[in-house]
Amino acid sequence: MSLDNPHISGGDDLPGFHNLLGYRQVSWEESEAVIALDLQPKHLNLGGVIHGGVLTSLLDIAMAEAGTYCPYPGRMRKAITLSLTTTFTGQCSGGMIRVTGRKRAGGTRIFNSTGEVHDEQGNLLAIAEGTFRIRSGSEKPEGVPI
């Protein structure tokens, strides 16, 4: 995994909404992506636990990444989410969470991924499955210029 790509390095280098979330890339390879987030007060709901929207957004990102790995520096592959189902299984109010996305099946344009979120103690916080479509130009491993 190369973190020279500004779209996957994490923290303040991420564009738009990704920057707002503030996650970092732990690993990214063919069919699997792992991101992590150090929880801050902005990630919590009114009950003081991580907001479901934060969990779902991170799952969406990791699962899309699992099907769009690009090993070429200065290039990337893009996908859009067609469907996403999230099941919340636990709560967390602090520390670091780890999100893993895995590509499970797919063709040249459509792929399916699953995802899991765990807290630092290994407790399962959420699971998800999604269907994604590769954007035009991103079908091949070399993707498109950043």
Side-chain angles (χ1 to χ4, degrees):
M1 171 195 66
S2 170
L3 292 181
D4 295 334
N5 178 337
H7 290 279
I8 64 169
S9 61
D12 294 335
D13 295 335
L14 295 167
F17 184 64
H18 297 266
N19 186 324
L20 182 65
L21 287 169
Y23 67 89
R24 66 184 176 282
Q25 198 77 44
V26 175
S27 65
W28 194 359
E29 58 192 46
E30 189 67 39
S31 298
E32 183 175 287
V34 180
I35 58 179
L37 176 70
D38 294 312
L39 293 182
Q40 300 172 19
K42 69 180 180 180
H43 299 121
L44 307 180
N45 63 20
L46 294 175
V49 297
I50 189 168
H51 193 285
V54 173
L55 290 170
T56 301
S57 294
L58 294 170
L59 283 159
D60 184 38
I61 292 164
M63 293 188 319
E65 285 183 353
T68 57
Y69 176 70
C70 182
Y72 299 93
R75 302 184 71 82
M76 66 185 299
R77 296 176 69 208
K78 300 177 184 180
I80 60 170
T81 307
L82 298 177
S83 69
L84 177 64
T85 302
T86 305
T87 302
F88 304 104
T89 59
Q91 297 180 356
C92 182
S93 59
M96 188 265 304
I97 60 170
R98 186 177 182 97
V99 185
T100 303
R102 290 185 180 91
K103 179 181 173 183
R104 298 296 184 179
T108 57
R109 296 287 301 221
I110 306 289
F111 67 93
N112 300 93
S113 293
T114 59
E116 295 183 350
V117 183
H118 292 88
D119 66 14
E120 288 179 306
Q121 291 73 43
N123 298 312
L124 184 64
L125 303 180
I127 56 175
E129 60 183 17
T131 303
F132 302 84
R133 182 175 62 83
I134 300 288
R135 304 239 351 232
S136 295
S138 294
E139 301 91 342
K140 296 180 181 175
E142 61 270 13
V144 297
I146 293 175

